[in-house]
Amino acid sequence: MATLFVDNLTVLDFSYLHAKRGMVGESWIVDLELTGDLDDMGMVLDFGRIKKAVKEALDAEIDHKLVVPEDSDCLTRLPDEDQVNLEWQYHAGVIRMKAPLCSSAFIPGTEITKSAVTLHLMTLLYGILPDNVSELVLTLREEDAGTAPSYHYSHGLKKHDGNCQRIAHGHRSQIQIFENGRRSRYWEKLWADRWEDIYIGSEEDLEGTYFIDEVPHHRFRYTAPQGLFELLIPEDHCYLVNTDSTVEHLAAHIAAELADEALGKHFRVRAFEGVAKGALAEAGVMRA
């Protein structure tokens, strides 16, 4: 028997539904340990197969999807064989989504937790691993950012030719802001609070605003290569931009807003999209 490990196998970027917070963007790093008998090559499992088959299975199940606890009292699934059609009732209002079947994952349980998702994914992996693998340890963890501010956001990119086109997927992201060359925790905290548990929507995709039980809700709608996507979500949990919500546009938006809020200063923004990737933008007056 032997054990091999793979740290940072993949990052699962997704959104999930929460009974109090509504729609929450998240990014979990995946670490893996496999124990078993050695095969004819003297391996438990070739690293190439892990990085391909195992990573692909994990990504296909969770990554860039809306993850839903299927046993929650907040959830109502409407009959529809061709698409996901769900309603989520929580204290701030209602979330409704119609989207292609590939855009969501339903996990047993009443809430989305690391333990619930870990159990679900381990069951999936045991079904594809070779017989010589007898034990699997799967660890889901958030990026260790120390005391640095971060925020949870959800979005969809209708022009994307991959899974980013799905209307309700998200990220847990750091932000680094430099004011006149010096890092500013004040501005970082302000933006982290502003975008905590937010849905960032494009004005171009906003179909209208409707009142449900006197609470205003935004409705976003677009057609992408995977199909038709519709999302209704409380207005208070939305932030509208006049561009697409790519990280490049978001970094530029934050920098421009900062330059407008603090005239005469220069800002450099490092906006992350999940873990270890993102975009840079600058705006304002550069001092001589």
Side-chain angles (χ1 to χ4, degrees), residues 169-215:
H169 75 275
H171 314 272
R172 178 182 184 268
S173 301
Q174 293 186 59
I175 184 168
Q176 298 174 0
I177 298 175
F178 298 83
E179 176 186 337
N180 294 334
R182 299 184 64 180
R183 189 165 175 183
S184 172
R185 290 298 179 93
Y186 168 79
W187 290 114
E188 291 174 359
K189 180 67 165 54
L190 184 147
W191 275 94
D193 290 344
R194 187 174 290 177
W195 278 4
E196 179 63 15
D197 296 345
I198 203 73
Y199 184 83
I200 301 176
S202 171
E203 293 176 353
E204 183 178 86
D205 302 329
L206 180 62
E207 186 269 340
T209 301
Y210 305 88
F211 284 83
I212 300 175
D213 295 330
E214 301 183 349
V215 177

Side-chain angles (χ1 to χ4, degrees), residues 12-59:
L12 301 175
D13 291 305
F14 63 98
S15 292
Y16 66 93
L17 294 178
H18 189 276
K20 293 183 179 179
R21 297 167 65 186
M23 184 180 294
V24 183
E26 189 57 274
S27 299
W28 286 343
I29 301 167
V30 180
D31 299 329
L32 186 69
E33 290 183 11
L34 298 177
T35 298
D37 296 325
L38 300 182
D39 61 17
D40 293 340
M41 296 184 293
M43 302 176 179
V44 176
L45 186 61
D46 181 77
F47 284 117
R49 288 185 63 189
I50 295 175
K51 292 179 180 179
K52 181 174 176 60
V54 176
K55 180 182 182 302
E56 286 182 357
L58 294 173
D59 289 345

Side-chain angles (χ1 to χ4, degrees), residues 268-281:
R268 184 172 185 262
V269 175
R270 283 170 53 89
F272 287 75
E273 185 186 70
V275 178
K277 65 185 189 298
L280 298 167

Side-chain angles (χ1 to χ4, degrees), residues 77-85 98-104 226-228:
R77 293 182 69 175
L78 305 176
D80 199 323
E81 295 181 357
D82 299 323
Q83 62 182 355
V84 176
N85 191 347
K98 295 181 181 179
L101 295 174
C102 62
S103 62
S104 62
Q226 291 181 357
L228 176 65

